[in-house]
């Protein structure tokens, strides 16, 4: 009886250990994801700037999400001022990925 309880507790602890281990994301992976998203946003910003220089009357209000050249979710959600404010861009993208990992039940170590 006592051995059964110890065995069950040991199995539960091992299971919890592997569950926690599988939900971890390294800080370097997190930083890389943030940096890649910032790069994508800045690429969209540059594409929009080039398009504005060619045609000042162009509007990006209703850009479809299938248009990879001019659309980015974070940019459309937070406004075009992210293009010129790198500190705010970093904060917004970092918060976006923190929320993403929280929803996925993952944590950064």
């Amino acid at each position: 009886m006592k051995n059964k309880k110890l065995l069950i507790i040991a199995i539960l602890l091992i299971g919890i250990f592997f569950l926690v281990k599988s939900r971890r994301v390294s800080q370097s992976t997190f930083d890389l994801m943030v940096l890649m998203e910032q790069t994508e946003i800045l690429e969209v910003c540059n594409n929009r700037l080039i398009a504005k220089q060619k045609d000042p009357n162009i509007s990006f209000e209703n850009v479809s999400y299938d248009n990879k050249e001019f659309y980015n979710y974070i940019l459309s959600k937070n406004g075009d001022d992210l293009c010129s404010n790198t500190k705010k861009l970093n904060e917004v993208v970092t918060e976006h990925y923190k929320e993403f990992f929280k929803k996925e039940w993952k944590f950064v170590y």
Side-chain angles (χ1 to χ4, degrees):
M1 185 77 153
K2 191 172 188 177
N3 287 339
K4 260 188 173 176
K5 285 183 182 179
L6 288 175
L7 182 63
I8 291 172
I9 291 173
I11 290 172
L12 285 174
L13 288 175
I14 291 171
I16 290 171
F17 169 77
F18 282 111
L19 180 66
V20 168
K21 187 172 172 74
S22 72
R23 306 313 296 169
R24 294 188 325 176
V25 176
S26 71
Q27 183 67 44
S28 61
T29 302
F30 179 81
D31 292 341
L32 183 61
M33 290 178 74
V34 168
L35 187 60
M36 287 174 52
E37 186 65 32
Q38 286 176 342
T39 303
E40 287 181 23
I41 291 172
L42 290 175
E43 187 175 328
V44 170
C45 289
N46 286 337
N47 291 342
R48 288 184 178 191
L49 179 63
I50 292 168
K52 275 277 194 200
Q53 289 173 344
K54 290 180 181 174
D55 181 9
N57 297 323
I58 196 168
S59 172
F60 300 108
E61 293 297 318
N62 296 320
V63 178
S64 169
Y65 66 90
D66 338 344
N67 187 338
K68 301 293 181 198
E69 187 176 10
F70 296 123
Y71 180 83
N72 180 279
Y73 170 75
I74 295 174
L75 191 59
S76 67
K77 181 180 173 188
N78 294 286
D80 288 337
D81 62 323
L82 290 180
C83 294
S84 58
N85 189 344
T86 56
K87 185 176 179 184
K88 184 177 178 187
L89 174 64
N90 187 32
E91 290 171 3
V92 167
V93 173
T94 301
E95 282 305 311
H96 171 76
Y97 275 104
K98 282 181 182 178
E99 286 298 315
F100 170 76
F101 284 126
K102 188 186 286 185
K103 287 178 187 173
E104 295 289 317
W105 290 77
K106 293 187 176 188
F107 57 94
V108 179
Y109 71 95

